[in-house]
Amino acid sequence: MKTEYDIVKHAKTLELDKVLQLLAAQTSTAAAAQKALEIIPSMDYEQVRTLLTQTDDAFCLSASFGAPSFGRLEALDEILSRIKNAGRLNAGELLKIGELLSVIRTVKLWRGENGAGANNSLDGYFARLTPNKTLENEIKNAIISPEEISDNASSILFEIRKKIRKAGSDIREKLDRIVRSGTSKYLQDGIITQRSGRFVVPVKAEHKSELPGLVHDTSSSGATLFVEPMAVVEINNGIRVLQNKEKDEIDRILYEISVKVSEVYESLTASYAALVDLDLIFAKAALGYKMKATAPVLNDKGVINLKNARHPLIDPKLVVPINISLGKDYKLLLITGPNTGGKTVSIKTVGLFTLMAQCGLMVPCESGSELSVFSSILSDIGDEQSIEQSLSTFSSHIKNIIKILQICDRSSLVLLDELCAGTDPVEGAALAQAILEKLLSLGAVVCATTHYAELKSFALMREDAQNACCEFSVETLSPTYRLLIGVPGSSNAFEISKRLGLNEDIVSAATKLISGENRRFDEVIAQLLKAHSDVAKEKEAAVEIRRNLEKNKNTVDTKLSQVDKQSEEIINAARKRAEDILDYAKNESNRLLGDLEDMRAKINKENSADMIIKARSAINSTVKHLEKNADAGENADKEFDGYVLPRELIKGDAVKIRGFSQNGTVLSQQGNTVTVTIGSMRTKVGLQDVMLVNNKKPQFQSRRTVKTNLDKTNGIAKTELDIRGYATDEGLMELEKFIDSAILLGIETVYIIHGKGTGALRNAVRKHLKTLPVVKSFRPGVFGEGEDGVTVVTLK
């Protein structure tokens, strides 16, 4: 019978607890951190699918908008329990409730501003968040700190404290007069102090009778008495009464706010629970981002297919990715090979990835990898020798296997490391084979490691089993940690011994002691390994060739697209030019016809010859102008052949334009498209259809002087602005100066370093960037850029 204990025990063997510790470190709230450490893998397929969908949705939201800020809330279960029972909260507890309300409002607002309306599996959690700005503000305005209540908490409290300050001022005035009067010679020091909340003066013990009053304290030496003069006793009594009233009013205020909190107990607890769940889900997404992980494709068929899987607890710089498949064509994967070659890590990776997925965690492997949901993940890994129980390593492993056989069924994943090791090899191999046969008959999916040669033959003979090995380089005498499926491993004991310097006579004698059948088997394995290695190299070469072909194809496609676009732009420009010429011709014709009509009205016998000469002259002039336009366009086309711009275009450049006789002025450039004005006309032309009239840059008189924030070192402009620690307003001012400077220097991409912190500065920066017309786009930093502590801005 499967129990929660069994699940937790085997999960710890596979080091899931260490992964959960990494998850807890990604949370913001104490409750979510505790919840992360207590996660138990789900065995329900639909629930696991839901968990992974939530993590993937949180990952997408974080990648698009940055993760929401959950603050650093302490666990509030005890406080919420007291609220339920109508208990009065103190100032510190109410401040925590105020902070909770602030986080609820902030997270709700974050969702409203980022992708709201699009279907998302997390919307149910966001919907349960119920902000209460009124109560939040009341707590904030009334309570300054756990020890201090604001004067403005109530009008009554304001008046009481005003009277206390007035009475205190009156007492000081009276005591000052005593200190400055003739009685000052009886005082130890000319100061006014307090004892037991009452104003007193330090009097020399021997002059006690000279200053009538109440003694409230004595110095440790006894030389000084702290006396409350009779002149201020009544005022001090009044202050004491006011202080009691102040305390009563503070109690009333705290009780009143506590009642208001208790009235929203249901929505508050529901919001808190949703907030903790969201914090945990976004922590899963953050861990996935940190591990460069993906959400696996789920199935309930027992099929595992991992592509370039990397064990999450091994240093990313040292881990070697493995490809491993199991459960589809064969139920048993038997991994052999030398010690320290990576066999144990391989089966642990399979088990840990399965557990992580069933916890709703992404796994560090390539997208498209498959994992199945199992009802139990059972393992026998490591040396569990028990001195207290007088059990040997072998006995301890057998006890574990007996337990596994009792639990195992068709929905179980079984992981066995060095099966039946630690006993007689012949008996151990036979027992191991029998155990594997039993597990297969129960329908379990099994991944096991072994040194027994007999089990290699066993896996070769069965259709539902497959050999695998961890590659070992005899030349370097070290493992490569690559997992080769379909090839049984070899211990390479003889070859390793020779390379380490063992006498060849001994190695030769040992070789003769091995049966011919075993030698032939080892030779076949060696040939298989060599063939597999050769095929792997050829496959890598083929993949590289295919990658290059795809790259070249993409380049060709891009070029063809550019040619098509340029052709279309040339045709459009020619069409536009023709339309301009036609319009000009129509206008001139209309003008000439009008002139002719005027001439006909004015003509007479006396001036007819002059009028005809003028008309003919005007017509000839117009025709020549039209011919000149046409010739200029034709000659201009030839002039543009082979022309390359000597520099980048800037606003104000005077340019010739293919197909136009009149020069234009550059307004802007985006990629290969230039916006120009020709007279009063504004149009867009291709970069290849533009020629600079002269290489001199236009001069502009700046309306204002902008002081650049881009420091230069060795002549190189820095593209980073670090505003960590700035107040929001100061940070935004620095941001605007920095953007202005970047525009002037022609920089396209800049990096704004605002840190993660509470997220307030980050959110303010990104919200402000949306309002700047010079900003083309922006995004959170990716791995290696500072992640969500950096915003990368692309300028127009």
Side-chain angles (χ1 to χ4, degrees):
M1 180 180 176
K2 301 167 190 175
T3 65
E4 185 175 300
Y5 168 77
D6 295 320
I7 296 169
V8 173
K9 175 181 179 293
H10 292 284
K12 187 170 184 179
T13 300
L14 295 169
E15 300 179 290
L16 177 65
D17 57 320
K18 295 180 180 178
V19 175
L20 295 182
Q21 288 172 11
L22 297 178
L23 174 62
Q26 297 298 318
T27 61
S28 297
T29 64
Q34 186 60 37
K35 200 168 184 178
L37 296 174
E38 296 171 353
I39 289 178
I40 294 175
S42 171
M43 305 300 165
D44 181 82
Y45 173 76
E46 290 300 329
Q47 186 180 14
V48 172
R49 190 170 67 172
T50 299
L51 291 172
L52 279 174
T53 300
Q54 291 173 350
T55 304
D56 196 40
D57 283 348
F59 186 92
C60 293
L61 285 173
S62 298
S64 300
F65 310 109
S69 175
F70 296 95
R72 285 289 170 186
L73 294 177
E74 299 179 20
L76 300 175
D77 300 279
E78 184 179 343
I79 295 175
L80 292 172
S81 177
R82 288 181 56 200
I83 294 172
K84 182 180 181 181
N85 297 322
R88 196 199 72 136
L89 303 180
N90 60 38
E93 291 168 336
L94 285 173
L95 271 181
K96 291 177 182 178
I97 295 298
E99 185 181 0
L100 171 61
L101 288 169
S102 175
V103 174
I104 291 170
R105 177 176 53 81
T106 301
V107 174
K108 185 84 170 184
L109 183 63
W110 177 90
R111 179 57 179 148
E113 293 177 346
N114 299 314
N119 291 332
N120 189 287
S121 63
L122 304 179
D123 285 342
Y125 293 102
F126 286 107
R128 294 207 300 272
L129 297 176
T130 307
N132 192 326
K133 181 70 171 168
T134 302
L135 182 56
E136 178 190 342
N137 285 342
E138 185 170 351
I139 294 173
K140 180 180 178 182
N141 294 334
I143 305 172
I144 297 174
S145 72
E147 295 79 29
E148 185 177 0
I149 305 299
S150 171
D151 290 354
N152 298 319
S154 75
S155 58
I156 296 174
L157 183 63
F158 181 85
E159 289 300 323
I160 291 172
R161 287 183 171 173
K162 182 179 178 182
K163 290 177 181 178
I164 290 174
R165 287 191 289 269
K166 176 67 170 58
S169 177
D170 291 345
I171 287 177
R172 285 187 175 277
E173 287 181 8
K174 290 191 175 186
L175 293 178
D176 278 340
R177 285 197 294 270
I178 291 173
V179 168
R180 292 194 299 270
S181 68
T183 58
S184 61
K185 59 185 177 181
Y186 306 128
L187 303 181
Q188 196 71 261
D189 292 297
I191 61 171
I192 300 169
T193 184
Q194 281 189 324
R195 287 294 185 273
S196 303
R198 300 177 77 89
F199 288 94
V200 296
V201 291
V203 179
K204 296 176 183 178
E206 62 270 22
H207 298 295
K208 174 186 174 183
S209 59
E210 304 297 335
L211 185 64
L214 303 176
V215 178
H216 287 281
D217 198 5
T218 306
S219 66
S220 57
S221 64
T224 304
L225 303 177
F226 294 94
V227 177
E228 178 186 4
M230 293 304 296
V232 298
V233 169
E234 193 60 34
I235 302 176
N236 263 330
N237 289 338
I239 289 177
R240 180 59 61 88
V241 171
L242 289 171
Q243 287 173 340
N244 289 333
K245 288 182 179 181
E246 177 189 30
K247 182 179 179 303
D248 291 340
E249 178 61 13
I250 289 173
D251 289 342
R252 187 196 66 78
I253 291 168
L254 295 180
Y255 176 75
E256 187 177 283
I257 298 176
S258 298
V259 169
K260 292 180 180 179
V261 171
S262 67
E263 289 173 353
V264 294
Y265 168 77
E266 297 294 338
S267 65
L268 196 62
T269 52
S271 296
Y272 176 62
L275 202 66
V276 171
D277 287 338
L278 283 170
D279 185 16
L280 181 58
I281 293 168
F282 276 92
K284 291 179 180 179
L287 182 62
Y289 178 82
K290 190 173 183 180
M291 290 182 174
K292 298 183 180 179
T294 61
V297 177
L298 273 187
N299 68 80
D300 56 356
K301 311 293 185 185
V303 176
I304 296 171
N305 183 22
L306 299 177
K307 304 173 183 178
N308 286 332
R310 307 175 304 278
H311 196 288
L313 300 177
I314 299 177
D315 187 339
K317 297 177 182 178
L318 303 177
V319 67
V320 176
I322 62 171
N323 297 299
I324 189 166
S325 57
L326 176 62
K328 185 177 182 181
D329 298 324
Y330 45 88
K331 292 278 191 176
L332 167 63
L333 185 65
L334 192 68
I335 305 174
T336 52
N339 290 328
T340 70
K343 302 192 302 297
T344 303
V345 171
S346 296
I347 66 171
K348 275 191 169 185
T349 300
V350 172
L352 182 56
F353 273 38
T354 302
L355 289 168
M356 287 174 65
Q358 293 183 204
C359 291
L361 293 169
M362 305 169 88
V363 291
C365 58
E366 283 187 9
S367 60
S369 295
E370 288 186 82
L371 283 170
S372 180
V373 176
F374 293 96
S375 65
S376 57
I377 297 96
L378 308 169
S379 64
D380 180 57
I381 298 174
D383 187 356
E384 297 190 11
Q385 182 173 357
S386 172
I387 297 175
E388 293 181 0
Q389 298 178 15
S390 300
L391 293 175
S392 66
T393 299
F394 175 76
S395 300
S396 178
H397 286 306
I398 290 298
K399 286 199 69 174
N400 285 340
I401 290 170
I402 291 170
K403 181 68 173 177
I404 288 171
L405 290 170
Q406 292 171 348
I407 299 173
C408 178
D409 58 22
R410 301 185 68 83
S411 61
S412 297
L413 172 64
V414 180
L415 308 169
L416 303 172
D417 188 30
E418 299 296 349
L419 180 59
C420 293
T423 188
D424 178 76
V426 176
E427 293 180 355
L431 187 58
Q433 181 174 324
I435 291 170
L436 291 176
E437 287 177 343
K438 178 63 176 177
L439 289 170
L440 290 173
S441 70
L442 292 171
V445 175
V446 185
C447 192
T449 70
T450 184
H451 280 290
Y452 293 137
E454 292 86 349
L455 294 184
K456 302 174 191 177
S457 302
F458 167 73
L460 285 172
M461 297 298 293
R462 292 188 62 116
E463 292 184 358
D464 56 355
Q466 182 66 278
N467 274 301
C469 70
C470 289
E471 190 177 50
F472 188 88
S473 173
V474 178
E475 287 74 18
T476 62
L477 299 181
S478 62
T480 65
Y481 301 104
R482 291 176 56 203
L483 184 67
L484 309 178
I485 295 180
V487 182
S490 173
S491 66
N492 297 299
F494 293 159
E495 192 65 30
I496 293 172
S497 298
K498 281 199 299 184
R499 288 188 176 272
L500 290 175
L502 186 64
N503 191 299
E504 288 194 15
D505 293 340
I506 298 175
V507 175
S508 177
T511 304
K512 292 176 183 179
L513 293 175
I514 295 180
S515 67
E517 184 178 344
N518 284 339
R519 283 201 300 273
R520 286 192 296 274
F521 184 73
D522 286 341
E523 288 171 1
V524 170
I525 290 176
Q527 291 172 5
L528 276 173
L529 285 171
K530 185 177 184 305
H532 193 285
S533 178
D534 293 341
V535 168
K537 290 178 182 176
E538 290 179 5
K539 183 179 179 181
E540 288 177 3
V543 169
E544 184 63 27
I545 292 171
R546 186 175 66 181
R547 189 180 294 115
N548 290 333
L549 286 174
E550 290 177 352
K551 184 178 179 182
N552 292 335
K553 180 179 179 299
N554 291 336
T555 302
V556 171
D557 290 343
T558 302
K559 292 290 184 185
L560 287 174
S561 177
Q562 290 174 353
V563 169
D564 290 342
K565 186 177 180 181
Q566 290 171 1
S567 299
E568 185 179 352
E569 290 172 351
I570 291 171
I571 291 171
N572 290 336
R575 186 181 292 114
K576 179 65 178 174
R577 172 174 165 269
E579 290 173 355
D580 291 341
I581 293 173
L582 184 60
D583 288 342
Y584 181 79
K586 287 180 179 178
N587 292 334
E588 288 300 307
S589 298
N590 291 331
R591 186 180 63 78
L592 287 173
L593 287 172
D595 290 346
L596 286 173
E597 289 293 330
D598 292 341
M599 289 178 184
R600 189 170 62 179
K602 297 176 183 178
I603 196 167
N604 54 45
K605 292 181 179 178
E606 289 77 17
N607 62 8
S608 60
D610 291 338
M611 289 294 181
I612 290 170
I613 291 171
K614 288 180 179 179
R616 186 174 290 135
S617 175
I619 291 170
N620 289 336
S621 175
T622 301
V623 170
K624 285 180 181 179
H625 184 70
L626 292 173
E627 289 175 347
K628 183 180 178 183
N629 273 351
D631 292 341
E634 185 177 348
N635 293 333
D637 289 347
K638 294 179 182 178
E639 187 180 7
F640 277 82
D641 293 344
Y643 176 75
V644 178
L645 286 168
R647 61 172 173 80
E648 290 187 2
L649 296 174
I650 61 175
K651 183 177 180 181
D653 274 333
V655 291
K656 293 181 179 179
I657 302 157
R658 190 193 299 268
F660 291 89
S661 59
Q662 186 178 354
N663 289 344
T665 304
V666 174
L667 289 179
S668 64
Q669 177 184 345
Q670 285 189 336
N672 291 325
T673 302
V674 184
T675 302
V676 297
T677 56
I678 307 169
S680 61
M681 180 179 67
R682 175 174 174 168
T683 186
K684 292 183 178 181
V685 296
L687 191 64
Q688 72 281 359
D689 297 328
V690 176
M691 178 184 294
L692 275 170
V693 172
N694 59 67
N695 196 22
K696 186 177 180 182
K697 293 185 178 180
Q699 299 295 317
F700 297 97
Q701 182 64 37
S702 178
R703 294 183 179 180
R704 63 190 181 94
T705 302
V706 180
K707 184 178 180 181
T708 180
N709 278 348
L710 298 180
D711 298 332
K712 290 190 175 182
T713 305
N714 298 325
I716 301 174
K718 292 184 178 178
T719 58
E720 295 181 354
L721 173 65
D722 191 343
I723 55 174
R724 288 176 293 183
Y726 279 60
T728 300
D729 292 342
E730 295 174 345
L732 294 182
M733 289 177 62
E734 291 297 320
L735 173 65
E736 287 201 3
K737 293 179 185 177
F738 182 78
I739 295 293
D740 285 344
S741 302
I743 293 294
L744 289 178
L745 292 175
I747 294 173
E748 294 183 358
T749 303
V750 294
Y751 298 81
I752 312 302
I753 305 171
H754 42 63
K756 297 180 181 178
T758 63
L761 184 56
R762 174 194 64 204
N763 293 336
V765 166
R766 292 177 181 172
K767 186 174 181 181
H768 191 63
L769 288 172
K770 292 178 181 178
T771 67
L772 298 181
V774 296
V775 174
K776 182 177 181 182
S777 63
F778 63 91
R779 61 174 174 82
V782 297
F783 182 79
E785 291 180 331
E787 304 179 10
D788 207 31
V790 171
T791 297
V792 183
V793 184
T794 303
L795 303 174
K796 293 181 180 178

